[in-house]
Amino acid sequence: MKLTKWPKHSFMILAIVATWIKTVIVYHTSFELKLENAMQQFILFINPLSFVLFIYGLSLFFKTPKIRNRYIITISVLLSIVLYGNVAFYRFYNDFITLPVLFQTSNFSDLGTSAAAIINPWDLLYFADVFILIIANKYLPRMKEAVKVNVEFRRAFFVLAIAMTFLNLGLAETERPQLLTRSFDRELLVKNIGTYNYHLYDIYIQSKSSAQRALADGSELVEVNNYIRSNQAASDENKFGKYKDRNLIVVSLESLQNFVINNDMDGHEITPFLNSLTKDSDTYYFNNFYHQTGLGKTSDSEFILENSLFGLGRGAVFFTHGGNTYNSMAERLGENGYFTNVMHPNNKSFWNRDMMYQSLKINKFYDVDSYTVEEGQAVNWGMKDIPFMEQSAALMKNMPQPFYSRLITLTNHYPFTLDPEDVMIPEYTSNSGTLNRYFQTVRYMDEALKDFFQDLKDQGVYDNSIIVMYGDHYGISENHNKAMAQYLGKDGITPYDNALLQEVPLFIHIPGDGEGKEMEEVSGQIDLRPTILHLLGIETSKDMQLGADLFSPEHEDFVIFRDGRFITDKYVYAGEACYDKATGEQIDVAPCQPYADRATTELENSDAIINGDLLRFYDEKTGNLKQNAVK
């Protein structure tokens, strides 16, 4: 039988086409990429090609077909791993993986049920092109024939690859100006330059940020300091120092979004205890408060609370900059006689907390070894909320006062599972098991908080404390928009809706205050540090912080998200579009532009402080640069 005569370089061409087409299919089936016009569709279609041409084209420099084909198969395996890694990461975080995240390996052993919920047997299809190449290499002999590569062909091939690169970048720049210099949104990068080129860009940015600290000096802090001072809000005269020397208890409410507050699910009240606090005369409930976290999720919310700075756009500050100099809320409280501690029944090394807490000047970390986890009390990455909070209240009884305790809850964590004895309401009925279970774990956490308040009273700690509780980040990602639309009674979830769904609850409960009310200020986690310190009578006018006191008459209704979106009292900026906040109607972008510029400036200022470790040059007591800070 006559063997098929394959064209020259058939194996390389097969690899290029297979990887290209697979990547495009994955874009459309595994990622929720918002495409608004035909040009964006075309860019998404061609953007894998330039990198694929380059990486497989290197095989043209190998002399023998055996080595050439092995190289091609190896590259196919590596690209499939990179692509699948992004798919798995996207399923959990609704985002794309970054280089710093790849080095967070100390977290991987704790993923447990979360990883099991992400991976399924059908995922082998993400390696379909690898299987095709292996079969072709084994059973199609002509593909293994020696092919002489002349210089002209090689030159023409790489000219084509370069041309594709410039075509891709040119179209991307037309569609999204300053994409590579001002974008904080990884989805935009992947949509425009592709997954593989995005990772090359990520390596470049990581290298650049690593060099920033080595080359930084105090002169970079002058402009940042001037910006912060010019946008500073004064404290509220009536509230400042009113609760001096009270204990401070801060509870980070895992994955709690505000849409469950004062709401029900199929007739079942979701958060009866928290609902009661919204009407409590000792509680200030902020109903326009937003999380501002990035890939660091809970650790980002910790970082923002402590420092009134944003996390980074590419990973968790707790990992990438755990050794920096900071002027945390814990440090300021410690300087004012507080015993500062964090309570979290997980391994102390998770999210690099044991190292980062030293940088934040936290006196003690009550990790899992500080608790007695009895049979049936373990959940997700630690301990169920009810026994955790009960034991935490008991520990507080013996702490030196005043103390600052920050508790991090765990039960309401993806994939939102409960033991049967802990279920208090039935599951929701939608196409999303995640959302269906979410209501049950939220209800359990609410019960734990009710018990916690009683535990504090029983331990004699409640009356002389301020209790701050806030949602740390979203629980339901955009991957579940269809189910969320069903629950909210909408036809679909728009970028405007998604921005508003980043709202998380904030409760500031002050026993005996009697002036509590529902607060309408548009605000975010970055405002917590100045607000709390002012309530306790600690001045922050010389601190390097980006937030503002929520009780200040000068507080502005403006909250910035880590990816550059923002919300004001009038506008919502999301998906590169401006919306009227009251109606949800898309409007001309002009009213949003000044806020967009400010959002970029604030994010860049925060990044500069962190990447350059600039606070090592700053004297927070005088508000000036340290001597010899400028090289």
Side-chain angles (χ1 to χ4, degrees):
M1 186 175 76
K2 187 177 180 181
L3 294 173
T4 303
K5 182 67 176 177
W6 296 96
K8 287 184 177 181
H9 311 295
S10 294
F11 197 65
M12 182 186 71
I13 294 169
L14 176 63
I16 290 169
V17 172
T19 301
W20 176 24
I21 298 304
K22 180 190 74 172
T23 304
V24 172
I25 291 172
V26 170
Y27 284 164
H28 289 281
T29 59
S30 301
F31 303 134
E32 297 287 335
L33 302 176
K34 304 173 190 67
L35 303 173
E36 299 170 359
N37 53 52
M39 179 59 73
Q40 291 184 7
Q41 291 274 8
F42 180 68
I43 292 172
L44 192 70
F45 178 68
I46 68 167
N47 71 33
L49 192 52
S50 61
F51 179 84
V52 170
L53 286 170
F54 269 112
I55 198 71
Y56 283 123
L58 293 177
S59 67
L60 296 174
F61 291 94
F62 293 105
K63 300 295 185 183
T64 67
K66 184 177 181 180
I67 296 176
R68 188 181 304 153
N69 290 359
R70 282 182 178 177
Y71 167 81
I72 289 171
I73 292 173
T74 300
I75 292 300
S76 177
V77 171
L78 292 176
L79 294 185
S80 295
I81 291 171
V82 168
L83 190 63
Y84 177 67
N86 278 282
V87 169
F89 191 78
Y90 193 91
R91 288 172 181 171
F92 186 70
Y93 287 106
N94 202 56
D95 208 336
F96 297 92
I97 203 164
T98 65
L99 192 63
V101 170
L102 291 176
F103 293 105
Q104 294 169 201
T105 52
S106 59
N107 278 3
F108 294 168
S109 61
D110 291 313
L111 291 178
T113 54
S114 296
I118 290 169
I119 299 170
N120 65 71
W122 288 103
D123 289 350
L124 284 174
L125 292 175
Y126 289 100
F127 295 83
D129 56 328
V130 177
F131 301 137
I132 290 171
L133 289 175
I134 292 172
I135 292 170
N137 185 54
K138 184 173 183 179
Y139 294 108
L140 301 178
R142 292 284 185 180
M143 285 197 173
K144 294 188 286 187
E145 286 186 352
V147 178
K148 184 178 180 181
V149 182
N150 59 60
V151 176
E152 290 77 14
F153 176 82
R154 197 157 52 204
R155 183 181 297 121
F157 182 88
F158 283 101
V159 166
L160 173 63
I162 292 169
M164 287 303 304
T165 301
F166 279 103
L167 173 64
N168 186 179
L169 290 176
L171 293 176
E173 183 67 18
T174 301
E175 191 64 26
R176 179 61 169 86
Q178 297 180 300
L179 174 71
L180 299 181
T181 57
R182 294 172 65 88
S183 177
F184 300 104
D185 188 340
R186 280 171 292 279
E187 180 179 311
L188 281 174
L189 290 168
V190 171
K191 281 199 307 185
N192 285 282
I193 65 174
T195 308
Y196 311 117
N197 285 326
Y198 153 71
H199 284 295
L200 290 179
Y201 177 73
D202 182 47
I203 292 171
Y204 162 73
I205 293 296
Q206 174 65 14
S207 302
K208 181 180 176 182
S209 67
S210 298
Q212 273 184 275
R213 188 187 189 281
L215 300 174
D217 64 28
S219 62
E220 300 173 48
L221 200 56
V222 175
E223 185 177 345
V224 178
N225 191 27
N226 290 339
Y227 177 87
I228 289 174
R229 299 297 155 245
S230 64
N231 290 278
Q232 202 165 45
S235 59
D236 183 332
E237 293 181 359
N238 297 320
K239 285 283 192 291
F240 185 85
K242 186 176 179 180
Y243 313 102
K244 184 176 174 60
D245 293 333
R246 281 207 185 198
N247 301 317
L248 172 63
I249 301 169
V250 177
V251 185
S252 173
L253 304 173
E254 173 64 42
S255 302
L256 187 65
Q257 290 174 249
N258 205 46
F259 71 84
V260 299
I261 304 297
N262 288 322
N263 217 337
D264 66 72
M265 183 279 296
D266 292 341
H268 299 275
E269 193 174 13
I270 307 164
T271 56
F273 176 67
L274 292 179
N275 293 350
S276 70
L277 288 185
T278 66
K279 305 170 184 66
D280 188 290
S281 62
D282 290 340
T283 303
Y284 297 87
Y285 164 57
F286 292 80
N287 61 13
N288 266 309
F289 182 81
Y290 295 83
H291 85 85
Q292 296 170 284
T293 65
L295 287 176
K297 292 297 185 285
T298 298
S299 71
D300 270 6
S301 75
E302 293 185 69
F303 179 81
I304 297 168
L305 166 77
E306 290 288 349
N307 298 285
S308 192
L309 297 171
F310 294 95
L312 292 173
R314 304 176 47 262
V317 182
F318 270 44
F319 269 99
T320 60
H321 295 79
N324 274 18
T325 297
Y326 298 107
N327 181 212
S328 67
M329 182 169 73
E331 181 176 358
R332 294 303 312 278
L333 289 166
E335 293 168 351
N336 285 269
Y338 277 75
F339 168 63
T340 62
N341 61 92
V342 175
M343 315 182 87
H344 184 45
N346 198 348
N347 297 329
K348 63 181 180 180
S349 62
F350 195 69
W351 283 119
N352 197 39
R353 285 189 171 104
D354 54 341
M355 302 301 295
M356 186 62 170
Y357 287 170
Q358 293 181 39
S359 296
L360 297 178
K361 303 295 191 295
I362 291 168
N363 298 141
K364 184 173 178 60
F365 181 17
Y366 294 92
D367 68 348
V368 67
D369 293 334
S370 301
Y371 294 85
T372 302
V373 185
E374 297 179 356
E375 186 176 352
Q377 291 184 344
V379 68
N380 295 325
W381 303 345
M383 187 180 187
K384 292 180 180 179
D385 289 348
I386 289 177
F388 160 59
M389 291 188 175
E390 180 182 7
Q391 291 186 38
S392 296
L395 288 169
M396 290 177 194
K397 180 180 180 180
N398 298 314
M399 288 180 186
Q401 297 195 33
F403 62 76
Y404 161 40
S405 291
R406 179 155 55 80
L407 289 76
I408 303 172
T409 62
L410 272 170
T411 304
N412 190 45
H413 193 290
Y414 182 86
F416 309 113
T417 54
L418 281 179
D419 291 331
E421 64 269 20
D422 297 320
V423 173
M424 301 177 192
I425 58 175
E427 285 192 13
Y428 184 53
T429 52
S430 73
N431 71 328
S432 167
T434 297
L435 179 62
N436 296 347
R437 297 187 299 271
Y438 178 73
F439 294 106
Q440 294 183 319
T441 52
V442 169
R443 177 65 185 86
Y444 175 88
M445 179 168 62
D446 181 80
E447 193 71 15
L449 293 169
K450 183 185 76 171
D451 292 352
F452 180 56
F453 271 54
Q454 186 59 51
D455 293 335
L456 292 175
K457 294 173 183 177
D458 294 343
Q459 299 293 350
V461 173
Y462 174 82
D463 290 329
N464 192 41
S465 299
I466 292 177
I467 305 168
V468 178
M469 301 183 292
Y470 71 99
D472 62 351
H473 55 76
Y474 67 78
I476 306 300
S477 73
E478 293 179 61
N479 295 331
H480 307 279
N481 275 353
K482 183 177 179 181
M484 277 301 304
Q486 176 186 327
Y487 175 72
L488 297 174
K490 292 176 172 286
D491 294 331
I493 301 296
T494 66
Y496 162 86
D497 295 320
N498 182 260
L500 293 181
L501 280 170
Q502 305 315 303
E503 191 177 82
V504 295
L506 167 63
F507 299 88
I508 299 179
H509 181 77
I510 308 174
D513 180 73
E515 298 178 1
K517 60 181 178 179
E518 193 163 332
M519 307 284 283
E520 302 287 341
E521 283 76 6
V522 177
S523 53
Q525 292 167 334
I526 209 161
D527 297 318
L528 287 171
R529 181 187 190 274
T531 303
I532 292 170
L533 290 178
H534 289 174
L535 290 173
L536 298 173
I538 300 173
E539 181 58 59
T540 66
S541 59
K542 294 177 182 176
D543 291 3
M544 195 67 66
Q545 59 186 10
L546 290 170
D549 188 336
L550 289 169
F551 293 103
S552 170
E554 298 175 5
H555 182 273
E556 184 181 8
D557 289 322
F558 181 39
V559 63
I560 302 166
F561 295 177
R562 178 58 258 191
D563 58 12
R565 291 180 293 173
F566 63 80
I567 295 175
T568 76
D569 55 338
K570 295 180 181 179
Y571 309 114
V572 172
Y573 182 77
E576 302 294 293
C578 187
Y579 297 86
D580 183 296
K581 186 172 188 286
T583 66
E585 295 295 320
Q586 186 172 340
I587 59 176
D588 186 80
V589 76
C592 282
Q593 194 57 53
Y595 293 103
D597 293 339
R598 283 181 55 194
T600 298
T601 298
E602 291 209 10
L603 290 168
E604 288 177 344
N605 284 342
S606 182
D607 288 350
I609 291 172
I610 297 167
N611 289 327
D613 191 12
L614 298 184
L615 292 183
R616 60 190 159 132
F617 304 120
Y618 186 70
D619 186 339
E620 64 272 7
K621 292 181 174 60
T622 64
N624 298 315
L625 292 179
K626 293 178 179 178
Q627 289 186 347
N628 303 320
V630 179
K631 295 177 182 177

